[in-house]
């Protein structure tokens, strides 16, 4: 139950595949800290090398006894979280990513946005999810 709760809290702040790739790196650094002789290594790494919003969630749930199991769970769960691929003609702002993520999560559930920029589509977007592609680009309309 605790594992699902931490995942649920983290998926709210991790919106893109890039965000999750950073999380996986942070998990690796935290895992390495567990094998250091310094008793406070984990806490120090959590505060100094993990993004604050992620560190706050981890601190809320993690205890000394289950750190490895929880980190393993998060790593596997986020690797399994599906992506919705989004091709845009522009670099999206963080606000745009948040709005799209909110809409996507309300529509299809917990997914991550894996976006790329392709200026040749001129405008609109190309969306790939669940083996289907929707081309809503201006380029398609003009061809």
């Amino acid at each position: 139950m605790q594992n699902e709760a931490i995942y649920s809290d983290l998926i709210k702040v991790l919106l893109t595949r890039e965000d999750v790739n950073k999380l996986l790196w942070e998990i690796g650094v935290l895992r390495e800290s567990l094998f250091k002789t310094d008793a406070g290594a984990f806490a120090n790494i959590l505060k100094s090398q993990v993004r604050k919003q992620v560190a706050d969630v981890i601190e809320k749930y993690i205890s000394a006894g289950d750190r490895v199991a929880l980190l393993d769970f998060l790593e596997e769960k986020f690797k399994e979280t599906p992506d919705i691929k989004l091709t845009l003609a522009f670099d999206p702002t963080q606000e745009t990513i948040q709005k799209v993520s909110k809409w996507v999560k309300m529509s299809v559930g917990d997914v991550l946005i894996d976006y790329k920029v392709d200026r040749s589509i001129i405008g609109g977007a190309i969306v790939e999810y669940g083996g289907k592609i929707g081309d809503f680009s201006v380029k398609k309309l003009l061809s």
Side-chain angles (χ1 to χ4, degrees):
M1 188 67 161
Q2 176 182 345
N3 288 353
E4 290 300 327
I6 191 171
Y7 173 78
S8 179
D9 283 357
L10 282 172
I11 196 76
K12 291 174 187 169
V13 297
L14 302 173
L15 307 179
T16 66
R17 180 53 61 188
E18 182 180 342
D19 291 341
V20 169
N21 288 341
K22 289 178 189 173
L23 173 71
L24 296 175
W25 179 85
E26 291 164 336
I27 287 172
V29 172
L30 287 169
R31 187 177 282 121
E32 287 176 18
S33 76
L34 295 173
F35 301 102
K36 295 191 177 191
T37 55
D38 176 12
F42 186 88
N44 291 336
I45 296 293
L46 193 59
K47 290 194 184 319
S48 66
Q49 294 189 35
V50 176
R51 291 166 288 172
K52 182 171 178 7
Q53 61 187 1
V54 172
D56 289 346
V57 173
I58 291 174
E59 277 184 322
K60 179 178 169 183
Y61 291 97
I62 206 152
S63 66
D66 63 0
R67 290 177 176 171
V68 173
L70 188 56
L71 293 174
D72 288 346
F73 168 79
L74 289 174
E75 185 173 52
E76 284 305 309
K77 188 76 172 174
F78 277 103
K79 282 182 179 178
E80 295 170 359
T81 302
D83 293 345
I84 185 166
K85 296 186 186 307
L86 189 61
T87 303
L88 302 168
F90 62 94
D91 292 308
T93 63
Q94 187 63 29
E95 181 182 357
T96 300
I97 292 170
Q98 288 171 341
K99 287 179 181 179
V100 170
S101 179
K102 182 178 179 180
W103 179 81
V104 167
K105 287 178 181 178
M106 287 175 33
S107 301
V108 296
D110 288 337
V111 296
L112 299 166
I113 298 171
D114 187 6
Y115 73 89
K116 68 178 181 180
V117 176
D118 179 356
R119 299 196 193 294
S120 75
I121 69 169
I122 304 168
I126 301 171
V127 182
E128 299 176 50
Y129 180 70
K132 296 181 181 177
I133 299 175
D135 189 345
F136 308 100
S137 68
V138 173
K139 181 179 179 178
K140 180 181 178 194
L141 292 173
L142 295 175
S143 53

